[in-house]
Amino acid sequence: MGSEREDLEIEMETLVGSSQSARKTSPIEIPHNLALSNVSISWTLSRLLERLWKSVKVVIFTVKINLLLPFGPMSIILHYLTKNHGLVFSFSLIGIAPLAERLGYATEQLAFYTGPTVGGLLNATFGNATEMIIAIYALKNGMIRVVQQSLLGSILSNMLLVLGCAFLAGGIVHCEKDQVFNKAAAVVNSGLLLMAVMGLLFPAVLHFTHSEVQYGESEVSLSRFSSCVMLVAYASYLVFQLKSHRNLYSPIDEEERQNEDDLDEVEVPELGQWEAISWLAFLTIWVSILSEYLVNAIEGASDSLNLPVSFISVILLPIVGNAAEHASAIMFAMKDKLDITLGVAIGSSTQISMFVIPFCVVVGWIMGKRMDLNFQLFETATLFITVLVVAFMLQEGTTNYFKGLMLILCYLIVAASFFVHVDPPDGR
């Protein structure tokens, strides 16, 4: 019995000792785990904040044009404090310029992760985001002529001013030779632009020859049908460009270009993929906010600045909206990458004429607005002659500074024409 009692006491002591040791060790392990988790959370937050600051620094503080960013908030303040539409229009127009350029930059960063073909398409798409947003706000306010003229001006600006400046800059940098580009791709885009001219020409001719079956209704019906056809044609063009004939859009002398690129520094993206997408979303929202104030001030600015609405819509708005295309097209031309320059300038014009304009007609149809393809004879004739001039410039597959100078001078003639142009009394 004594031995059994001693055994029981020994077992009790071991149990008590183990429980005490467990009590001693368990309070030590829990704070240790908590400390590790707190350290990991603080380290993650510091990394996120560091990455966010680096992203903001790259996008906002590295480009001098961003000194114009405060004009955007100032235009909103002026809208509520004063009734000076000229100042509101001017400040919002200046404030949108750096946003359009940064949209192009964010798109270029995203193109590092999507490939060159899809990247060129994204560049053209987000390069036209400013024009599309302005057009939708103007369409919502019933300003159909502003929609038509701003989109027409964007096409003219891309084909004459942007392409001309790119050819001029590239020709001066590479003055010892003619720069070469892929002629086959340029011919396809020229054909699409001529198709767009045909879509705009027939409603205008139908209206001005008074040969409609139902006056005022037939041109709208024809415009809606033609818009659907043009959207189908643009979708087919995307399949043609991205799938079936992708090799047609590969740069010429690709092996030589690759050897030259190997000698140059390898370009590394400055933003991550999701950072670029986030900046695209933020910049698009900010552009849409400023566009609303810009559109609301157009008519008042026309009176206070003593400028025709047509000149404001065709010349001033597109110059600001095309800031991204303008900068990137000149940069690629100076690097002797003419195929990318044409993809930005001519590709953007093709997208506006074959997608954005028909899309606005369909959106106006949904909104109950009488948006059509009757751009009036003066505007349609201007577009037709511009497409012919650019098509002749591109038919040889080579370019130089003189061709660029001719395109810029043609744009000056167009700008002067719209400065003295006023819509007819029955124009909308």
Side-chain angles (χ1 to χ4, degrees), residues 117-118 182 184-186 188-189 235-251 254:
T117 306
V118 178
N182 190 341
V188 173
N189 283 311
S236 304
Y237 165 69
L238 292 182
V239 175
F240 178 83
Q241 181 185 20
L242 300 176
K243 293 290 183 182
S244 63
H245 288 67
R246 186 184 301 178
N247 58 337
L248 183 67
Y249 291 86
S250 60
E254 191 168 356

Side-chain angles (χ1 to χ4, degrees), residues 62-362:
T62 57
V63 183
K64 292 181 179 179
I65 194 174
N66 285 342
L67 293 173
L68 303 178
L69 284 175
F71 281 90
M74 289 169 64
S75 67
I76 298 176
I77 296 172
L78 287 173
H79 172 78
Y80 291 103
L81 293 182
T82 68
K83 296 298 181 180
N84 192 331
H85 295 288
L87 279 178
V88 174
F89 175 82
S90 301
F91 276 48
S92 56
L93 194 68
I94 296 172
I96 286 176
L99 297 176
E101 193 276 334
R102 290 289 85 186
L103 267 175
Y105 169 77
T107 307
E108 289 175 5
Q109 294 298 307
L110 187 59
F112 280 104
Y113 306 96
T114 59
T117 306
V118 178
L121 181 63
L122 284 173
N123 201 341
T125 302
F126 280 97
N128 294 326
T130 306
E131 292 94 327
M132 185 180 289
I133 292 170
I134 292 174
I136 290 176
Y137 273 108
L139 188 61
K140 181 182 175 183
N141 293 343
M143 304 168 68
I144 294 176
R145 287 297 289 160
V146 172
V147 176
Q148 294 175 334
Q149 291 177 338
S150 64
L151 294 178
L152 173 76
S154 184
I155 298 172
L156 299 176
S157 174
N158 275 308
M159 296 183 69
L160 295 176
L161 184 62
V162 174
L163 197 62
C165 290
F167 284 176
L168 180 63
I172 292 175
V173 173
H174 304 278
C175 58
E176 72 281 354
K177 64 173 184 177
D178 278 353
Q179 293 182 286
V180 184
F181 56 86
N182 190 341
K183 184 170 69 172
V187 168
V188 173
N189 283 311
S190 299
L192 282 172
L193 288 169
L194 285 172
M195 181 181 176
V197 170
M198 185 177 70
L200 300 181
L201 182 63
F202 288 146
V205 172
L206 189 68
H207 175 79
F208 286 98
T209 56
H210 303 287
S211 57
E212 302 173 81
V213 175
Q214 293 181 339
Y215 184 77
E217 297 296 331
S218 297
E219 62 183 274
V220 177
S221 301
L222 176 62
S223 298
R224 290 169 178 172
F225 175 79
S226 299
S227 297
C228 295
V229 173
M230 291 163 72
L231 289 173
V232 171
Y234 185 73
S236 304
Y237 165 69
L238 292 182
V239 175
F240 178 83
Q241 181 185 20
L242 300 176
K243 293 290 183 182
S244 63
H245 288 67
R246 186 184 301 178
N247 58 337
L248 183 67
Y249 291 86
S250 60
I252 61 171
D253 301 331
E254 191 168 356
E255 294 182 359
E256 297 180 4
R257 296 286 177 89
Q258 286 178 354
N259 293 332
E260 292 176 2
D261 291 340
D262 291 339
L263 299 175
D264 298 334
E265 295 183 359
V266 178
E267 294 184 1
V268 179
E270 297 178 334
L271 298 177
Q273 183 175 1
W274 287 106
E275 284 179 304
I277 294 173
S278 302
W279 277 110
L280 283 175
F282 171 76
L283 292 170
T284 303
I285 292 171
W286 186 226
V287 168
S288 65
I289 293 172
L290 289 183
S291 298
E292 184 176 4
Y293 293 94
L294 179 72
V295 169
N296 291 333
I298 285 178
E299 293 181 350
S302 174
D303 296 332
S304 61
L305 299 177
N306 198 20
L307 291 174
V309 175
S310 59
F311 182 81
I312 292 175
S313 303
V314 177
I315 305 300
L316 296 184
L317 292 182
I319 286 178
V320 173
N322 290 334
E325 290 99 323
H326 213 144
S328 59
I330 293 175
M331 178 187 66
F332 287 124
M334 294 175 69
K335 292 180 179 179
D336 200 18
K337 297 180 179 179
L338 262 295
D339 294 295
I340 302 179
T341 295
L342 288 173
V344 172
I346 302 298
S348 179
S349 299
T350 303
Q351 189 177 64
I352 291 174
S353 59
M354 295 298 293
F355 173 71
V356 178
I357 291 177
F359 177 76
C360 287
V361 173
V362 174

